[in-house]
Amino acid sequence: MGRTARDNRDLPHLPPVERIELSWENYKLRIVAAVVFLIVGAAALTYAFTTFLGQEAGWQTIQANSQTPSCAGDFQFLYELGAGEASATAESRALTPIYTQAAETAYRLFNSSEGFEGVTNVWTLNQHPNEVLTVDEPLYEAFELIGRYGDRSVYLGPVYEIYDDLFLCEEDWQTQDFDPFVNPQAAAFHAEVAAFARDPASVDVELLGEGQVRLKVSEEYLAYAEANEFDRFVDFYWLTNAFIVDYLAEVLTEQGYTRGSLSSVDGFIRNLDSREVSYGLNLYGRTDSGTISAAVMQYGGPRSIVSLRSYPLSGQDRRYYYQLASGEVRTPYLDTADGLCRSAADSLVCYSDSAGCAETLLRMIPLYIADTLETETLSALADGGIYAVWPEGSTICHTDPELVLTDVASGYTVALRP
């Protein structure tokens, strides 16, 4: 969310239609083309018809059937259809609209780039600072959780906008206007915004009960925002899908759909399955020759998993990463100390059988967005039911005595950290 396609006003005006006399040869070509399109169209209709009427049992990817913008494109929803009392077809028909609606609702609520009629979302809050507004329960609960852990990351909205521009760059020279590591003016702006973000007296979401909230912004910060031409004071940005996947999981579980797993493209997983079904997660390591699968983490039962990385893994990661020709990487993990990105390790995976992804992430942020990884604190997290896996060179370290790792790559060892 936050990147929208251009509307038709950006398109060139079409020239007037010109009348052209067609030759017989052109006419024959038009007939052939029409027949081809008819065949393709019929095939598409047949596929859609059979898909609607019959759905195969077994593990399937549930696709949202959205006619409006949705966050479903960020997620993969794997589900075993037909394993209960209902047929696979009946289950698919019932499950798809529930998932579709939840994905559309989540997209609207956490959107900081646009508003929607009848919805009070993050964008609405930014447009109405210091006003009392009523938000839906998922958004209210998200701010409650953030307040509970004292995390201030969501108040870095203005610098997230700059990182958004940085991640869209195609060449290194294009990043110079946005990269605070090479641009002193950008670094100064990031530090100034971070100072406001850290200060609850400057910016804060006040929870007033019964769904009512107020985005409190000081006069000083409002003046600063006007001078620097921004109005995005709060933004979940890279944290968004941690809260969304928890919301989707809650909706699906309440409706009784638990034989599956939700995973986002940016590392947030909610396993809903309480059966004795084994799932696996690839753990990656970095070598001189590139990134490899270092091991597979086996798990089962309801679980929340958060995976953070200091490097891109695939083309999908371009949304939140930019890798310079030097090999340095810019990430979305910004430190509220100065608005600069930091990663304490190449990767860190944390998981819990009791906490959701958002809570797990908020517990991880002070540890991961740092210069060094404090392994003693990771061990303390384990006492609260949040376990960690991370690489130290060619050693896969972890804090869970019951962790099962398979397919450990050659040259890698595994170590339990106390």
Side-chain angles (χ1 to χ4, degrees):
M1 291 187 292
R3 301 184 185 185
T4 55
R6 295 181 179 178
D7 61 24
N8 290 334
R9 290 173 294 181
D10 293 322
L11 298 176
H13 293 290
L14 296 176
V17 177
E18 208 176 337
R19 183 179 292 275
I20 300 174
E21 294 295 330
L22 294 175
S23 67
W24 172 242
E25 289 298 320
N26 287 335
Y27 185 68
K28 287 192 291 184
L29 289 174
R30 285 166 61 89
I31 293 176
V32 172
V35 171
V36 171
F37 280 120
L38 182 63
I39 293 172
V40 172
L45 285 172
T46 300
Y47 174 78
F49 188 68
T50 55
T51 300
F52 178 76
L53 288 183
Q55 175 67 57
E56 291 186 7
W59 288 99
Q60 305 291 341
T61 299
I62 305 300
Q63 304 285 357
N65 186 25
S66 296
Q67 304 302 314
T68 61
S70 162
C71 66
D74 280 356
F75 292 89
Q76 183 181 54
F77 181 21
L78 290 176
Y79 198 81
E80 188 176 15
L81 294 171
E85 295 181 359
S87 69
T89 300
E91 201 164 36
S92 177
R93 288 180 186 172
L95 176 56
T96 298
I98 293 172
Y99 177 54
T100 299
Q101 181 61 59
E104 291 173 354
T105 297
Y107 177 86
R108 296 185 185 120
L109 289 179
F110 288 91
N111 200 306
S112 62
S113 302
E114 59 181 319
F116 302 89
E117 185 176 355
V119 177
T120 301
N121 63 2
V122 177
W123 180 87
T124 315
L125 294 180
N126 284 316
Q127 299 305 306
H128 298 273
N130 298 311
E131 295 182 26
V132 176
L133 301 173
T134 301
V135 299
D136 287 348
E137 186 176 356
L139 190 54
Y140 192 91
E141 291 179 345
F143 284 119
E144 271 188 324
L145 192 61
I146 287 170
R148 186 187 313 162
Y149 287 99
D151 185 73
R152 306 292 298 173
S153 301
V154 296
Y155 299 108
L156 290 170
V159 291
Y160 286 145
E161 287 193 82
I162 295 178
Y163 270 80
D164 234 357
D165 292 331
L166 173 61
F167 298 144
L168 285 171
C169 291
E170 298 287 342
E171 302 289 343
D172 285 4
W173 64 267
Q174 297 173 323
T175 70
Q176 294 176 5
D177 288 338
F178 314 113
D179 190 350
F181 288 93
V182 299
N183 187 315
Q185 289 77 24
F189 176 74
H190 285 222
E192 290 164 358
V193 169
F196 284 115
R198 292 193 306 272
D199 181 14
S202 294
V203 59
D204 200 37
V205 172
E206 294 183 320
L207 303 176
L208 306 174
E210 298 182 352
Q212 291 190 322
V213 302
R214 175 170 49 217
L215 174 59
K216 182 181 66 176
V217 184
S218 69
E219 291 299 323
E220 180 187 1
Y221 196 17
L222 285 172
Y224 181 85
E226 183 177 3
N228 288 276
E229 300 180 332
F230 67 80
D231 60 6
R232 190 178 297 185
F233 301 100
V234 59
D235 188 351
F236 284 79
Y237 198 53
W238 69 274
L239 299 83
T240 300
N241 283 337
F243 290 89
I244 287 181
V245 76
D246 285 346
Y247 169 69
L248 296 177
E250 180 180 358
V251 170
L252 294 167
T253 300
E254 286 179 349
Q255 296 294 322
Y257 294 103
T258 59
R259 296 193 307 273
S261 179
L262 287 156
S263 57
S264 75
V265 296
D266 47 355
F268 304 111
I269 299 173
R270 280 294 300 267
N271 197 52
L272 312 177
D273 206 334
S274 59
R275 302 172 301 167
E276 293 183 2
V277 176
S278 181
Y279 292 79
L281 175 69
N282 280 321
L283 302 176
Y284 294 96
R286 302 190 79 183
T287 67
D288 293 338
S289 57
T291 304
I292 66 167
S293 176
V296 176
M297 183 178 87
Q298 302 292 332
Y299 64 95
R303 176 167 290 186
S304 304
I305 303 175
V306 176
S307 177
L308 305 180
R309 281 180 283 105
S310 66
Y311 55 91
L313 195 60
S314 68
Q316 288 181 311
D317 289 333
R318 288 199 56 194
R319 175 179 177 181
Y320 286 136
Y321 293 85
Y322 183 88
Q323 184 161 356
L324 297 156
S326 65
E328 292 181 77
V329 180
R330 304 294 182 249
T331 76
Y333 310 132
L334 306 191
D335 194 337
T336 54
D338 52 16
L340 303 181
C341 61
R342 285 187 174 84
S343 298
D346 284 343
S347 65
L348 177 63
V349 175
C350 287
Y351 55 92
S352 174
D353 295 344
S354 55
C357 280
E359 182 176 356
T360 301
L361 174 62
L362 292 172
R363 299 287 298 276
M364 294 171 66
I365 284 177
L367 300 173
Y368 191 73
I369 303 181
D371 292 322
T372 57
L373 190 63
E374 297 181 2
T375 56
E376 297 83 2
T377 309
L378 287 176
S379 297
L381 280 184
D383 295 335
I386 296 178
Y387 299 97
V389 185
W390 71 97
E392 290 182 3
S394 59
T395 302
I396 303 171
C397 305
H398 66 95
T399 59
D400 183 0
E402 298 183 3
L403 177 67
V404 176
L405 296 178
T406 61
D407 302 293
V408 178
S410 175
Y412 276 83
T413 58
V414 178
L416 173 65
R417 295 292 190 227

